[in-house]
Amino acid sequence: MEIHTRYMLLGCLVLVLGFVSGGESAISRNVMKEIIRINKEGPYMGIVVPNNFEMSPLLQSPSFVGDVKFGFLDFSGRRFHLGQVGKQKVIVIMTGLGMLNAGITTQLLVTLFRVKGIVHYGIAGNANPNLQIGDVTIPQFWAHTGLWNWQRYGDGPEDELALESNGDYTRDIGYLEFSHYNNDTKNVKSPDNLLNRVWYQPEEVFPVNGTPEIRQHSFWGPVNDYYFSLAERLEGMKLTGCVNSTTCLPRTPIVTRVERGASANVFVDNRAYREFLLSKFNATAIDMESAAVSLVCIQNQKPFIAIRALSDLAGGGSSVSNEAATFASLAAQNAVDVVIKFINLLS
């Protein structure tokens, strides 16, 4: 009842502000009225998806029943699809590519609607050669591995980073040194690389239950403990292993919980960097959105889990290597199947 009252008051406030400002508030009166009507029917599970080819199999699945009353709501360039999976009312939203889009979209979702939890899914690159294309991974922790302090040439690991003394940057997490990957056999006496090294940094977060403008730091963002525990029951699911009658994987894909996943605004098609992410961070799934969704959920204190199907071994190196173009649709369908099963388990 308190949550319902809070949203009603929010709606009244926005409606008043819209009237006073001549209808030029960020949310129009008509849209806010629709949001209030939708929230009366909540709460909802939020389902956040990067791209249309990953979202379409869910919306077209017989397991998804669109809301006949609302259908969808368009706002700020996004379309919020309302419906039901099993007994769970859901709002499905496509983010678009990358960390910024994923963060903005997830924040819109949890700000506008009564969302009790977030399920994020899609395809991902694979850093662990013990797994294969089509396998569905559920990491326990996610990190943004694209936030760097790039050290100037000549400085070493013991030299303080720029602005480190202010508390803005740290050497605690570790670094990637480019000269470790030199392949210049003619210059073995001088292995230095002008790119020097990059130091990984945690994100600054401002939780809703914290003090405004007082930052906290987060590198490894955990998924919800209950969600992760429940996901153990997904292991053993029967998944699709063939694109068609002639194109199949060497073995039937599996669902597996793993320790860590990594996100950055980078499509990793490089074996050396894939092996670095595995050895340095023990990351399995490599994508461009999950950590952003995780960070928004941390800030908003919303339960979160990410389910990522592997579409390629990043950088190749196996009999079934970087075949994303061939197996992306299979991986996306496997992710959808696991998400549907997970949401049904929540019921």
Side-chain angles (χ1 to χ4, degrees), residues 44-48 106 109-110 115-120 222-228 293-294 296-306 342 346:
Y44 299 87
M45 282 299 299
I47 303 179
V48 180
T106 306
L109 176 63
V110 299
V115 174
K116 59 184 178 180
I118 299 289
V119 178
H120 175 59
V223 305
N224 177 263
D225 287 341
Y226 172 66
Y227 286 2
F228 191 71
V293 180
S294 170
V296 171
C297 290
I298 288 171
Q299 295 197 116
N300 289 276
Q301 303 293 288
K302 295 292 183 182
F304 156 82
I305 194 168
F342 177 78
L346 285 174

PDB file of all heavy atoms in Angstrom, residues 44-48 106 109-110 115-120 222-228 293-294 296-306 342 346:
ATOM      1  N   TYR A  44       6.029  -5.528 -11.303  1.00  0.00           N
ATOM      2  CA  TYR A  44       6.452  -6.288 -12.465  1.00  0.00           C
ATOM      3  C   TYR A  44       7.892  -6.779 -12.288  1.00  0.00           C
ATOM      4  O   TYR A  44       8.677  -6.186 -11.555  1.00  0.00           O
ATOM      5  CB  TYR A  44       6.414  -5.404 -13.720  1.00  0.00           C
ATOM      6  CG  TYR A  44       5.048  -4.852 -14.066  1.00  0.00           C
ATOM      7  CD1 TYR A  44       4.610  -3.655 -13.504  1.00  0.00           C
ATOM      8  CD2 TYR A  44       4.210  -5.506 -14.957  1.00  0.00           C
ATOM      9  CE1 TYR A  44       3.362  -3.136 -13.810  1.00  0.00           C
ATOM     10  CE2 TYR A  44       2.965  -4.991 -15.280  1.00  0.00           C
ATOM     11  CZ  TYR A  44       2.541  -3.810 -14.703  1.00  0.00           C
ATOM     12  OH  TYR A  44       1.306  -3.289 -15.018  1.00  0.00           O
ATOM     13  N   MET A  45       8.198  -7.851 -13.011  1.00  0.00           N
ATOM     14  CA  MET A  45       9.596  -8.214 -13.227  1.00  0.00           C
ATOM     15  C   MET A  45      10.062  -7.461 -14.475  1.00  0.00           C
ATOM     16  O   MET A  45       9.379  -7.473 -15.504  1.00  0.00           O
ATOM     17  CB  MET A  45       9.756  -9.717 -13.456  1.00  0.00           C
ATOM     18  CG  MET A  45       9.690 -10.554 -12.194  1.00  0.00           C
ATOM     19  SD  MET A  45      10.989 -10.161 -10.983  1.00  0.00           S
ATOM     20  CE  MET A  45      12.455 -10.546 -11.935  1.00  0.00           C
ATOM     21  N   GLY A  46      11.196  -6.805 -14.374  1.00  0.00           N
ATOM     22  CA  GLY A  46      11.770  -6.145 -15.534  1.00  0.00           C
ATOM     23  C   GLY A  46      12.670  -7.098 -16.287  1.00  0.00           C
ATOM     24  O   GLY A  46      13.504  -7.793 -15.684  1.00  0.00           O
ATOM     25  N   ILE A  47      12.490  -7.176 -17.599  1.00  0.00           N
ATOM     26  CA  ILE A  47      13.350  -8.005 -18.448  1.00  0.00           C
ATOM     27  C   ILE A  47      14.066  -7.076 -19.413  1.00  0.00           C
ATOM     28  O   ILE A  47      13.435  -6.422 -20.242  1.00  0.00           O
ATOM     29  CB  ILE A  47      12.538  -9.072 -19.219  1.00  0.00           C
ATOM     30  CG1 ILE A  47      11.751  -9.950 -18.239  1.00  0.00           C
ATOM     31  CG2 ILE A  47      13.471  -9.919 -20.079  1.00  0.00           C
ATOM     32  CD1 ILE A  47      10.907 -11.015 -18.925  1.00  0.00           C
ATOM     33  N   VAL A  48      15.381  -7.006 -19.290  1.00  0.00           N
ATOM     34  CA  VAL A  48      16.193  -6.056 -20.043  1.00  0.00           C
ATOM     35  C   VAL A  48      17.030  -6.809 -21.058  1.00  0.00           C
ATOM     36  O   VAL A  48      17.770  -7.736 -20.705  1.00  0.00           O
ATOM     37  CB  VAL A  48      17.093  -5.257 -19.075  1.00  0.00           C
ATOM     38  CG1 VAL A  48      17.956  -4.270 -19.832  1.00  0.00           C
ATOM     39  CG2 VAL A  48      16.245  -4.530 -18.028  1.00  0.00           C
ATOM     40  N   THR A 106      17.846   0.892 -18.176  1.00  0.00           N
ATOM     41  CA  THR A 106      17.517   0.243 -16.910  1.00  0.00           C
ATOM     42  C   THR A 106      17.070   1.271 -15.880  1.00  0.00           C
ATOM     43  O   THR A 106      16.124   1.041 -15.109  1.00  0.00           O
ATOM     44  CB  THR A 106      18.714  -0.559 -16.378  1.00  0.00           C
ATOM     45  OG1 THR A 106      19.167  -1.472 -17.390  1.00  0.00           O
ATOM     46  CG2 THR A 106      18.333  -1.348 -15.136  1.00  0.00           C
ATOM     47  N   LEU A 109      13.544   2.269 -16.564  1.00  0.00           N
ATOM     48  CA  LEU A 109      12.631   1.197 -16.170  1.00  0.00           C
ATOM     49  C   LEU A 109      12.332   1.243 -14.674  1.00  0.00           C
ATOM     50  O   LEU A 109      11.165   1.199 -14.256  1.00  0.00           O
ATOM     51  CB  LEU A 109      13.235  -0.159 -16.550  1.00  0.00           C
ATOM     52  CG  LEU A 109      12.469  -1.416 -16.128  1.00  0.00           C
ATOM     53  CD1 LEU A 109      11.101  -1.466 -16.796  1.00  0.00           C
ATOM     54  CD2 LEU A 109      13.279  -2.668 -16.460  1.00  0.00           C
ATOM     55  N   VAL A 110      13.377   1.351 -13.842  1.00  0.00           N
ATOM     56  CA  VAL A 110      13.151   1.293 -12.399  1.00  0.00           C
ATOM     57  C   VAL A 110      12.626   2.621 -11.852  1.00  0.00           C
ATOM     58  O   VAL A 110      12.046   2.652 -10.757  1.00  0.00           O
ATOM     59  CB  VAL A 110      14.444   0.883 -11.650  1.00  0.00           C
ATOM     60  CG1 VAL A 110      14.903  -0.488 -12.097  1.00  0.00           C
ATOM     61  CG2 VAL A 110      15.556   1.909 -11.830  1.00  0.00           C
ATOM     62  N   VAL A 115       8.910  -1.970 -10.323  1.00  0.00           N
ATOM     63  CA  VAL A 115       9.700  -3.146 -10.710  1.00  0.00           C
ATOM     64  C   VAL A 115      10.269  -3.781  -9.451  1.00  0.00           C
ATOM     65  O   VAL A 115      10.925  -3.111  -8.646  1.00  0.00           O
ATOM     66  CB  VAL A 115      10.830  -2.744 -11.673  1.00  0.00           C
ATOM     67  CG1 VAL A 115      11.734  -3.932 -11.951  1.00  0.00           C
ATOM     68  CG2 VAL A 115      10.249  -2.205 -12.977  1.00  0.00           C
ATOM     69  N   LYS A 116      10.028  -5.075  -9.287  1.00  0.00           N
ATOM     70  CA  LYS A 116      10.508  -5.764  -8.084  1.00  0.00           C
ATOM     71  C   LYS A 116      11.836  -6.472  -8.297  1.00  0.00           C
ATOM     72  O   LYS A 116      12.471  -6.908  -7.328  1.00  0.00           O
ATOM     73  CB  LYS A 116       9.460  -6.762  -7.591  1.00  0.00           C
ATOM     74  CG  LYS A 116       9.061  -7.838  -8.596  1.00  0.00           C
ATOM     75  CD  LYS A 116       7.945  -8.705  -8.034  1.00  0.00           C
ATOM     76  CE  LYS A 116       7.479  -9.762  -9.022  1.00  0.00           C
ATOM     77  NZ  LYS A 116       6.393 -10.608  -8.475  1.00  0.00           N
ATOM     78  N   GLY A 117      12.265  -6.621  -9.544  1.00  0.00           N
ATOM     79  CA  GLY A 117      13.533  -7.269  -9.839  1.00  0.00           C
ATOM     80  C   GLY A 117      13.836  -7.166 -11.318  1.00  0.00           C
ATOM     81  O   GLY A 117      12.949  -6.869 -12.125  1.00  0.00           O
ATOM     82  N   ILE A 118      15.105  -7.401 -11.667  1.00  0.00           N
ATOM     83  CA  ILE A 118      15.550  -7.285 -13.053  1.00  0.00           C
ATOM     84  C   ILE A 118      16.202  -8.584 -13.503  1.00  0.00           C
ATOM     85  O   ILE A 118      17.108  -9.109 -12.829  1.00  0.00           O
ATOM     86  CB  ILE A 118      16.568  -6.138 -13.220  1.00  0.00           C
ATOM     87  CG1 ILE A 118      15.943  -4.795 -12.844  1.00  0.00           C
ATOM     88  CG2 ILE A 118      17.125  -6.106 -14.643  1.00  0.00           C
ATOM     89  CD1 ILE A 118      14.917  -4.286 -13.811  1.00  0.00           C
ATOM     90  N   VAL A 119      15.742  -9.083 -14.649  1.00  0.00           N
ATOM     91  CA  VAL A 119      16.399 -10.194 -15.328  1.00  0.00           C
ATOM     92  C   VAL A 119      16.959  -9.648 -16.633  1.00  0.00           C
ATOM     93  O   VAL A 119      16.225  -9.106 -17.456  1.00  0.00           O
ATOM     94  CB  VAL A 119      15.423 -11.356 -15.623  1.00  0.00           C
ATOM     95  CG1 VAL A 119      16.147 -12.469 -16.384  1.00  0.00           C
ATOM     96  CG2 VAL A 119      14.841 -11.901 -14.327  1.00  0.00           C
ATOM     97  N   HIS A 120      18.243  -9.767 -16.790  1.00  0.00           N
ATOM     98  CA  HIS A 120      18.919  -9.308 -18.009  1.00  0.00           C
ATOM     99  C   HIS A 120      19.412 -10.528 -18.769  1.00  0.00           C
ATOM    100  O   HIS A 120      19.949 -11.463 -18.163  1.00  0.00           O
ATOM    101  CB  HIS A 120      20.088  -8.401 -17.628  1.00  0.00           C
ATOM    102  CG  HIS A 120      20.927  -7.973 -18.786  1.00  0.00           C
ATOM    103  ND1 HIS A 120      20.422  -7.271 -19.860  1.00  0.00           N
ATOM    104  CD2 HIS A 120      22.245  -8.147 -19.046  1.00  0.00           C
ATOM    105  CE1 HIS A 120      21.398  -7.026 -20.722  1.00  0.00           C
ATOM    106  NE2 HIS A 120      22.506  -7.556 -20.250  1.00  0.00           N
ATOM    107  N   PRO A 222      27.633  -8.050  -7.403  1.00  0.00           N
ATOM    108  CA  PRO A 222      27.010  -9.375  -7.277  1.00  0.00           C
ATOM    109  C   PRO A 222      25.575  -9.373  -7.779  1.00  0.00           C
ATOM    110  O   PRO A 222      24.876  -8.369  -7.701  1.00  0.00           O
ATOM    111  CB  PRO A 222      27.048  -9.625  -5.771  1.00  0.00           C
ATOM    112  CG  PRO A 222      26.954  -8.250  -5.173  1.00  0.00           C
ATOM    113  CD  PRO A 222      27.700  -7.328  -6.115  1.00  0.00           C
ATOM    114  N   VAL A 223      25.156 -10.518  -8.308  1.00  0.00           N
ATOM    115  CA  VAL A 223      23.743 -10.697  -8.601  1.00  0.00           C
ATOM    116  C   VAL A 223      23.040 -11.020  -7.288  1.00  0.00           C
ATOM    117  O   VAL A 223      23.679 -11.265  -6.253  1.00  0.00           O
ATOM    118  CB  VAL A 223      23.512 -11.810  -9.648  1.00  0.00           C
ATOM    119  CG1 VAL A 223      24.312 -11.525 -10.910  1.00  0.00           C
ATOM    120  CG2 VAL A 223      23.866 -13.193  -9.105  1.00  0.00           C
ATOM    121  N   ASN A 224      21.735 -11.023  -7.307  1.00  0.00           N
ATOM    122  CA  ASN A 224      20.961 -11.306  -6.113  1.00  0.00           C
ATOM    123  C   ASN A 224      21.207 -12.742  -5.637  1.00  0.00           C
ATOM    124  O   ASN A 224      21.189 -13.685  -6.428  1.00  0.00           O
ATOM    125  CB  ASN A 224      19.478 -11.088  -6.419  1.00  0.00           C
ATOM    126  CG  ASN A 224      18.582 -11.428  -5.253  1.00  0.00           C
ATOM    127  OD1 ASN A 224      18.039 -12.524  -5.186  1.00  0.00           O
ATOM    128  ND2 ASN A 224      18.431 -10.503  -4.325  1.00  0.00           N
ATOM    129  N   ASP A 225      21.440 -12.905  -4.333  1.00  0.00           N
ATOM    130  CA  ASP A 225      21.760 -14.228  -3.775  1.00  0.00           C
ATOM    131  C   ASP A 225      20.644 -15.236  -4.022  1.00  0.00           C
ATOM    132  O   ASP A 225      20.897 -16.386  -4.393  1.00  0.00           O
ATOM    133  CB  ASP A 225      22.029 -14.117  -2.270  1.00  0.00           C
ATOM    134  CG  ASP A 225      23.362 -13.456  -1.960  1.00  0.00           C
ATOM    135  OD1 ASP A 225      24.228 -13.408  -2.853  1.00  0.00           O
ATOM    136  OD2 ASP A 225      23.529 -12.984  -0.808  1.00  0.00           O
ATOM    137  N   TYR A 226      19.409 -14.814  -3.801  1.00  0.00           N
ATOM    138  CA  TYR A 226      18.280 -15.738  -3.990  1.00  0.00           C
ATOM    139  C   TYR A 226      18.147 -16.125  -5.459  1.00  0.00           C
ATOM    140  O   TYR A 226      17.954 -17.301  -5.787  1.00  0.00           O
ATOM    141  CB  TYR A 226      16.987 -15.118  -3.490  1.00  0.00           C
ATOM    142  CG  TYR A 226      15.764 -15.932  -3.838  1.00  0.00           C
ATOM    143  CD1 TYR A 226      15.562 -17.193  -3.279  1.00  0.00           C
ATOM    144  CD2 TYR A 226      14.818 -15.450  -4.745  1.00  0.00           C
ATOM    145  CE1 TYR A 226      14.448 -17.957  -3.605  1.00  0.00           C
ATOM    146  CE2 TYR A 226      13.696 -16.208  -5.072  1.00  0.00           C
ATOM    147  CZ  TYR A 226      13.523 -17.451  -4.506  1.00  0.00           C
ATOM    148  OH  TYR A 226      12.431 -18.208  -4.841  1.00  0.00           O
ATOM    149  N   TYR A 227      18.263 -15.140  -6.346  1.00  0.00           N
ATOM    150  CA  TYR A 227      18.173 -15.430  -7.774  1.00  0.00           C
ATOM    151  C   TYR A 227      19.265 -16.419  -8.187  1.00  0.00           C
ATOM    152  O   TYR A 227      19.024 -17.350  -8.962  1.00  0.00           O
ATOM    153  CB  TYR A 227      18.317 -14.153  -8.599  1.00  0.00           C
ATOM    154  CG  TYR A 227      17.122 -13.221  -8.586  1.00  0.00           C
ATOM    155  CD1 TYR A 227      15.989 -13.494  -7.834  1.00  0.00           C
ATOM    156  CD2 TYR A 227      17.132 -12.050  -9.347  1.00  0.00           C
ATOM    157  CE1 TYR A 227      14.907 -12.635  -7.829  1.00  0.00           C
ATOM    158  CE2 TYR A 227      16.048 -11.180  -9.349  1.00  0.00           C
ATOM    159  CZ  TYR A 227      14.943 -11.474  -8.582  1.00  0.00           C
ATOM    160  OH  TYR A 227      13.872 -10.612  -8.593  1.00  0.00           O
ATOM    161  N   PHE A 228      20.477 -16.189  -7.696  1.00  0.00           N
ATOM    162  CA  PHE A 228      21.595 -17.057  -8.082  1.00  0.00           C
ATOM    163  C   PHE A 228      21.398 -18.466  -7.540  1.00  0.00           C
ATOM    164  O   PHE A 228      21.699 -19.460  -8.224  1.00  0.00           O
ATOM    165  CB  PHE A 228      22.916 -16.468  -7.577  1.00  0.00           C
ATOM    166  CG  PHE A 228      24.133 -17.147  -8.132  1.00  0.00           C
ATOM    167  CD1 PHE A 228      24.487 -16.995  -9.464  1.00  0.00           C
ATOM    168  CD2 PHE A 228      24.929 -17.937  -7.314  1.00  0.00           C
ATOM    169  CE1 PHE A 228      25.612 -17.626  -9.983  1.00  0.00           C
ATOM    170  CE2 PHE A 228      26.060 -18.566  -7.826  1.00  0.00           C
ATOM    171  CZ  PHE A 228      26.405 -18.410  -9.164  1.00  0.00           C
ATOM    172  N   VAL A 293      23.813  -2.782 -16.306  1.00  0.00           N
ATOM    173  CA  VAL A 293      22.530  -3.128 -15.687  1.00  0.00           C
ATOM    174  C   VAL A 293      22.738  -3.450 -14.206  1.00  0.00           C
ATOM    175  O   VAL A 293      21.975  -3.014 -13.339  1.00  0.00           O
ATOM    176  CB  VAL A 293      21.877  -4.315 -16.423  1.00  0.00           C
ATOM    177  CG1 VAL A 293      20.542  -4.674 -15.781  1.00  0.00           C
ATOM    178  CG2 VAL A 293      21.678  -3.998 -17.901  1.00  0.00           C
ATOM    179  N   SER A 294      23.806  -4.187 -13.924  1.00  0.00           N
ATOM    180  CA  SER A 294      24.131  -4.533 -12.543  1.00  0.00           C
ATOM    181  C   SER A 294      24.354  -3.295 -11.693  1.00  0.00           C
ATOM    182  O   SER A 294      23.827  -3.183 -10.572  1.00  0.00           O
ATOM    183  CB  SER A 294      25.386  -5.415 -12.521  1.00  0.00           C
ATOM    184  OG  SER A 294      25.876  -5.580 -11.206  1.00  0.00           O
ATOM    185  N   VAL A 296      23.276  -0.185 -12.143  1.00  0.00           N
ATOM    186  CA  VAL A 296      22.034   0.540 -11.913  1.00  0.00           C
ATOM    187  C   VAL A 296      21.201  -0.169 -10.844  1.00  0.00           C
ATOM    188  O   VAL A 296      20.593   0.480  -9.979  1.00  0.00           O
ATOM    189  CB  VAL A 296      21.238   0.693 -13.220  1.00  0.00           C
ATOM    190  CG1 VAL A 296      19.845   1.259 -12.952  1.00  0.00           C
ATOM    191  CG2 VAL A 296      21.983   1.594 -14.195  1.00  0.00           C
ATOM    192  N   CYS A 297      21.175  -1.477 -10.874  1.00  0.00           N
ATOM    193  CA  CYS A 297      20.413  -2.226  -9.871  1.00  0.00           C
ATOM    194  C   CYS A 297      21.032  -2.081  -8.488  1.00  0.00           C
ATOM    195  O   CYS A 297      20.314  -2.002  -7.476  1.00  0.00           O
ATOM    196  CB  CYS A 297      20.320  -3.694 -10.269  1.00  0.00           C
ATOM    197  SG  CYS A 297      19.258  -3.987 -11.712  1.00  0.00           S
ATOM    198  N   ILE A 298      22.358  -2.044  -8.422  1.00  0.00           N
ATOM    199  CA  ILE A 298      23.031  -1.817  -7.136  1.00  0.00           C
ATOM    200  C   ILE A 298      22.634  -0.454  -6.579  1.00  0.00           C
ATOM    201  O   ILE A 298      22.308  -0.310  -5.398  1.00  0.00           O
ATOM    202  CB  ILE A 298      24.558  -1.927  -7.300  1.00  0.00           C
ATOM    203  CG1 ILE A 298      24.973  -3.388  -7.521  1.00  0.00           C
ATOM    204  CG2 ILE A 298      25.280  -1.347  -6.078  1.00  0.00           C
ATOM    205  CD1 ILE A 298      26.430  -3.561  -7.898  1.00  0.00           C
ATOM    206  N   GLN A 299      22.661   0.564  -7.436  1.00  0.00           N
ATOM    207  CA  GLN A 299      22.341   1.911  -6.985  1.00  0.00           C
ATOM    208  C   GLN A 299      20.890   2.028  -6.523  1.00  0.00           C
ATOM    209  O   GLN A 299      20.570   2.768  -5.590  1.00  0.00           O
ATOM    210  CB  GLN A 299      22.618   2.927  -8.089  1.00  0.00           C
ATOM    211  CG  GLN A 299      24.094   3.024  -8.444  1.00  0.00           C
ATOM    212  CD  GLN A 299      24.431   4.282  -9.213  1.00  0.00           C
ATOM    213  OE1 GLN A 299      25.183   5.113  -8.730  1.00  0.00           O
ATOM    214  NE2 GLN A 299      23.882   4.424 -10.405  1.00  0.00           N
ATOM    215  N   ASN A 300      20.004   1.289  -7.201  1.00  0.00           N
ATOM    216  CA  ASN A 300      18.578   1.380  -6.890  1.00  0.00           C
ATOM    217  C   ASN A 300      18.096   0.283  -5.945  1.00  0.00           C
ATOM    218  O   ASN A 300      16.894   0.194  -5.668  1.00  0.00           O
ATOM    219  CB  ASN A 300      17.771   1.343  -8.182  1.00  0.00           C
ATOM    220  CG  ASN A 300      17.919   2.610  -8.992  1.00  0.00           C
ATOM    221  OD1 ASN A 300      17.229   3.596  -8.750  1.00  0.00           O
ATOM    222  ND2 ASN A 300      18.818   2.600  -9.972  1.00  0.00           N
ATOM    223  N   GLN A 301      19.037  -0.559  -5.483  1.00  0.00           N
ATOM    224  CA  GLN A 301      18.699  -1.626  -4.536  1.00  0.00           C
ATOM    225  C   GLN A 301      17.631  -2.555  -5.093  1.00  0.00           C
ATOM    226  O   GLN A 301      16.656  -2.897  -4.407  1.00  0.00           O
ATOM    227  CB  GLN A 301      18.264  -1.036  -3.193  1.00  0.00           C
ATOM    228  CG  GLN A 301      19.311  -0.122  -2.540  1.00  0.00           C
ATOM    229  CD  GLN A 301      20.555  -0.864  -2.100  1.00  0.00           C
ATOM    230  OE1 GLN A 301      20.521  -1.620  -1.137  1.00  0.00           O
ATOM    231  NE2 GLN A 301      21.665  -0.662  -2.815  1.00  0.00           N
ATOM    232  N   LYS A 302      17.804  -2.946  -6.366  1.00  0.00           N
ATOM    233  CA  LYS A 302      16.890  -3.877  -7.015  1.00  0.00           C
ATOM    234  C   LYS A 302      17.583  -5.224  -7.226  1.00  0.00           C
ATOM    235  O   LYS A 302      18.727  -5.276  -7.681  1.00  0.00           O
ATOM    236  CB  LYS A 302      16.441  -3.334  -8.375  1.00  0.00           C
ATOM    237  CG  LYS A 302      15.612  -2.059  -8.316  1.00  0.00           C
ATOM    238  CD  LYS A 302      14.249  -2.298  -7.699  1.00  0.00           C
ATOM    239  CE  LYS A 302      13.405  -1.024  -7.729  1.00  0.00           C
ATOM    240  NZ  LYS A 302      12.092  -1.218  -7.091  1.00  0.00           N
ATOM    241  N   PRO A 303      16.910  -6.333  -6.918  1.00  0.00           N
ATOM    242  CA  PRO A 303      17.482  -7.649  -7.192  1.00  0.00           C
ATOM    243  C   PRO A 303      17.735  -7.818  -8.688  1.00  0.00           C
ATOM    244  O   PRO A 303      16.935  -7.378  -9.517  1.00  0.00           O
ATOM    245  CB  PRO A 303      16.424  -8.632  -6.708  1.00  0.00           C
ATOM    246  CG  PRO A 303      15.371  -7.844  -6.057  1.00  0.00           C
ATOM    247  CD  PRO A 303      15.574  -6.411  -6.315  1.00  0.00           C
ATOM    248  N   PHE A 304      18.835  -8.484  -9.012  1.00  0.00           N
ATOM    249  CA  PHE A 304      19.288  -8.546 -10.416  1.00  0.00           C
ATOM    250  C   PHE A 304      19.944  -9.891 -10.673  1.00  0.00           C
ATOM    251  O   PHE A 304      20.598 -10.467  -9.803  1.00  0.00           O
ATOM    252  CB  PHE A 304      20.284  -7.404 -10.651  1.00  0.00           C
ATOM    253  CG  PHE A 304      21.238  -7.644 -11.794  1.00  0.00           C
ATOM    254  CD1 PHE A 304      20.845  -7.383 -13.098  1.00  0.00           C
ATOM    255  CD2 PHE A 304      22.526  -8.108 -11.572  1.00  0.00           C
ATOM    256  CE1 PHE A 304      21.720  -7.604 -14.159  1.00  0.00           C
ATOM    257  CE2 PHE A 304      23.405  -8.327 -12.620  1.00  0.00           C
ATOM    258  CZ  PHE A 304      23.001  -8.067 -13.914  1.00  0.00           C
ATOM    259  N   ILE A 305      19.776 -10.357 -11.929  1.00  0.00           N
ATOM    260  CA  ILE A 305      20.535 -11.509 -12.417  1.00  0.00           C
ATOM    261  C   ILE A 305      20.711 -11.346 -13.922  1.00  0.00           C
ATOM    262  O   ILE A 305      19.864 -10.731 -14.592  1.00  0.00           O
ATOM    263  CB  ILE A 305      19.824 -12.846 -12.093  1.00  0.00           C
ATOM    264  CG1 ILE A 305      20.782 -14.023 -12.284  1.00  0.00           C
ATOM    265  CG2 ILE A 305      18.550 -13.024 -12.926  1.00  0.00           C
ATOM    266  CD1 ILE A 305      20.249 -15.337 -11.714  1.00  0.00           C
ATOM    267  N   ALA A 306      21.824 -11.839 -14.439  1.00  0.00           N
ATOM    268  CA  ALA A 306      22.093 -11.798 -15.885  1.00  0.00           C
ATOM    269  C   ALA A 306      22.296 -13.212 -16.394  1.00  0.00           C
ATOM    270  O   ALA A 306      23.011 -14.013 -15.774  1.00  0.00           O
ATOM    271  CB  ALA A 306      23.320 -10.946 -16.189  1.00  0.00           C
ATOM    272  N   PHE A 342      13.475 -19.574 -15.773  1.00  0.00           N
ATOM    273  CA  PHE A 342      13.835 -18.895 -14.523  1.00  0.00           C
ATOM    274  C   PHE A 342      12.656 -18.089 -13.979  1.00  0.00           C
ATOM    275  O   PHE A 342      12.354 -18.126 -12.778  1.00  0.00           O
ATOM    276  CB  PHE A 342      15.030 -17.971 -14.733  1.00  0.00           C
ATOM    277  CG  PHE A 342      15.407 -17.178 -13.507  1.00  0.00           C
ATOM    278  CD1 PHE A 342      16.101 -17.756 -12.480  1.00  0.00           C
ATOM    279  CD2 PHE A 342      15.033 -15.834 -13.397  1.00  0.00           C
ATOM    280  CE1 PHE A 342      16.429 -17.041 -11.329  1.00  0.00           C
ATOM    281  CE2 PHE A 342      15.362 -15.106 -12.264  1.00  0.00           C
ATOM    282  CZ  PHE A 342      16.060 -15.717 -11.232  1.00  0.00           C
ATOM    283  N   LEU A 346      10.481 -18.355 -10.382  1.00  0.00           N
ATOM    284  CA  LEU A 346      10.190 -17.286  -9.435  1.00  0.00           C
ATOM    285  C   LEU A 346       8.747 -17.358  -8.936  1.00  0.00           C
ATOM    286  O   LEU A 346       8.462 -16.885  -7.830  1.00  0.00           O
ATOM    287  CB  LEU A 346      10.420 -15.931 -10.073  1.00  0.00           C
ATOM    288  CG  LEU A 346      11.865 -15.489 -10.246  1.00  0.00           C
ATOM    289  CD1 LEU A 346      11.924 -14.193 -11.029  1.00  0.00           C
ATOM    290  CD2 LEU A 346      12.547 -15.316  -8.888  1.00  0.00           C
TER     291      LEU A 346
END
